[in-house]
Amino acid sequence: QVRLVESGGGLVQDGESLTLSCVASGDIISFNIMGWYRQAPGKQRELVASMSTRDKINYADSVKDRFTVSRNNRDDKVYLQMKDLKPEDTGVYYCNLVQEIQNCWGRGTKDTVSS
């Protein structure tokens, strides 16, 4: 089993920054993809950013140039640096890990960007 625990969410103003962290524990395989999804009120969960252990990175178009995903493979951690936050970035951010046939989720951390 894999457990993911997020931290770093909160309430910020339009234009401010926030960094999310996620640590994975359990049976983690050497090749995996860790990333972040978010779910805004009334909307479906969507990919924000992901990064594989081989450094392949994907971003949602809406966050390119503002968000940066990074990871520490030795400690099984993934980070999301968010700059120039906008009210439309508000939502619950979920850490995700994909390895082989497993698709694992954290419980989420709520981020609110006020205008």
Side-chain angles (χ1 to χ4, degrees):
Q1 281 189 336
V2 173
R3 182 170 181 242
L4 302 173
V5 179
E6 303 100 336
S7 61
L11 171 64
V12 296
Q13 300 290 320
D14 192 349
E16 293 187 336
S17 300
L18 203 60
T19 297
L20 305 182
S21 302
C22 172
V23 58
S25 60
D27 296 327
I28 299 167
I29 298 169
S30 58
F31 176 72
N32 60 68
I33 301 171
M34 291 187 75
W36 296 90
Y37 285 70
R38 71 184 176 195
Q39 187 164 17
K43 294 188 177 181
Q44 291 189 329
R45 193 175 298 187
E46 61 176 358
L47 173 69
V48 176
S50 67
M51 185 172 184
S52 75
T53 48
R54 296 172 185 169
D55 296 337
K56 181 177 180 181
I57 294 175
N58 286 306
Y59 288 107
D61 289 341
S62 60
V63 306
K64 283 180 181 176
D65 302 323
R66 298 189 298 122
F67 291 11
T68 302
V69 64
S70 60
R71 61 183 294 166
N72 180 327
N73 293 331
R74 184 179 65 181
D75 295 335
D76 295 316
K77 291 182 178 178
V78 65
Y79 305 94
L80 186 67
Q81 292 179 292
M82 304 182 289
K83 298 180 180 179
D84 189 22
L85 283 160
K86 306 176 187 300
E88 52 264 39
D89 295 316
T90 293
V92 179
Y93 284 70
Y94 296 91
C95 182
N96 174 259
L97 183 147
V98 177
Q99 59 181 18
E100 294 188 334
I101 62 171
Q102 287 182 298
N103 188 13
C104 310
W105 296 95
R107 292 189 172 186
T109 181
K110 187 173 182 180
D111 297 335
T112 302
V113 184
S114 63
S115 57

